[in-house]
Amino acid sequence: DAGVIQSPRHEVTEMGQEVTLRCKPISGHDYLFWYRQTMMRGLELLIYFNNNVPIDDSGMPEDRFSAKMPNASFSTLKIQPSEPRDSAVYFCASSLTAGSSEAFFGQGTRLTVV
Amino acid sequence: RKEVEQDPGPFNVPEGATVAFNCTYSNSASQSFFWYRQDCRKEPKLLMSVYSSGNEDGRFTAQLNRASQYISLLIRDSKLSDSATYLCVVNMGNAGGTSYGKLTFGQGTILTVHP
């Protein structure tokens, strides 16, 4: 299995531009998570899906952020418009079930907004 | 209060030392607990789950105290390769089960093992 695949690995964009991050979870995993990591705040859960349905989006910072999961094998996190404070590493993770199962992380997308 | 709090660290220890990390969580309805390891500029990876009775995996021992809402990780005979950030992770389930899948990470504790 290729694991969780994220793209792009690195993204540099100008303030005000739209940014779309992509994730392909491990096949058969029912849960998908989007996290953001910064030095100041650590790993923050933004949103998670169960069977393609958003369950908890309370971590999404503001309306500029949106996430979708149109099918079991693909999810996107969109930032529009982007701001310099959005600069961070964004991780996607998936797990087989809730609760006691391991979450597998992708390699992350390092976003820089200038 | 943060949902998951860890020792701020960093910890700098010599090879062969024993080091312990602590973690507390705020939600008494939390269902499951883990320690993850994250190497520099890499993604987090599961180190071990934490069970109510305590569990051991080689040089690593994890303990859980539900009454005190406290988790610990003990590393014995530290190796240079143990240098990483250690993340305490809690499944913040609630009684209603509406957030059962939510994994919440602590800030992480940096460990550096030196020769």
Side-chain angles (χ1 to χ4, degrees):
Chain A
D1 196 325
V4 176
I5 299 173
Q6 291 187 246
S7 64
R9 291 289 308 281
H10 303 273
E11 177 81 29
V12 180
T13 191
E14 291 185 347
M15 183 173 63
Q17 296 298 305
E18 177 180 298
V19 175
T20 299
L21 311 181
R22 297 172 177 79
C23 175
K24 176 179 167 55
I26 293 173
S27 177
H29 281 193
D30 291 337
Y31 286 80
L32 183 140
F33 308 85
W34 281 102
Y35 286 89
R36 176 173 69 177
Q37 187 173 38
T38 60
M39 287 292 292
M40 290 296 294
R41 301 173 68 91
L43 262 169
E44 301 174 279
L45 178 64
L46 301 177
I47 185 171
Y48 78 94
F49 295 83
N50 175 212
N51 291 324
N52 315 337
V53 176
I55 302 300
D56 185 342
D57 65 354
S58 59
M60 296 286 261
E62 48 197 273
D63 291 346
R64 297 184 298 107
F65 285 69
S66 63
K68 294 181 179 179
M69 192 165 185
N71 57 62
S73 59
F74 184 65
S75 177
T76 59
L77 178 68
K78 185 178 293 186
I79 308 172
Q80 166 64 15
S82 57
E83 296 182 4
R85 60 193 168 116
D86 300 331
S87 298
V89 180
Y90 290 81
F91 286 106
C92 175
S94 70
S95 67
L96 189 60
T97 62
S100 59
S101 63
E102 177 180 359
F104 293 84
F105 282 75
Q107 292 182 298
T109 295
R110 186 171 296 275
L111 174 65
T112 303
V113 183
V114 299
Chain B
R1 180 185 174 188
K2 290 183 180 178
E3 291 178 304
V4 181
E5 291 199 73
Q6 293 186 239
D7 280 350
F11 287 73
N12 293 287
V13 303
E15 275 186 290
T18 296
V19 61
F21 304 138
N22 303 316
C23 171
T24 57
Y25 58 96
S26 61
N27 188 340
S28 59
S30 297
Q31 304 288 334
S32 47
F33 312 88
F34 311 88
W35 283 100
Y36 277 65
R37 169 191 168 131
Q38 186 174 22
D39 293 306
C40 187
R41 302 181 76 84
K42 297 287 189 180
E43 71 274 21
K45 293 183 179 180
L46 179 67
L47 176 66
M48 61 194 300
S49 300
V50 185
Y51 302 119
S52 296
S53 56
N55 49 297
E56 189 173 302
D57 183 1
R59 298 180 294 108
F60 299 84
T61 301
Q63 297 280 349
L64 168 65
N65 184 324
R66 285 188 183 271
S68 302
Q69 295 177 208
Y70 172 92
I71 307 161
S72 66
L73 176 68
L74 183 76
I75 305 176
R76 293 182 300 278
D77 189 22
S78 300
K79 311 292 185 190
L80 296 176
S81 57
D82 293 335
S83 298
T85 297
Y86 290 82
L87 300 158
C88 176
V89 185
V90 177
N91 179 312
M92 305 292 282
N94 58 36
T98 56
S99 294
Y100 190 61
K102 182 178 178 179
L103 291 177
T104 302
F105 284 72
Q107 189 80 359
T109 302
I110 298 173
L111 171 66
T112 302
V113 182
H114 56 83

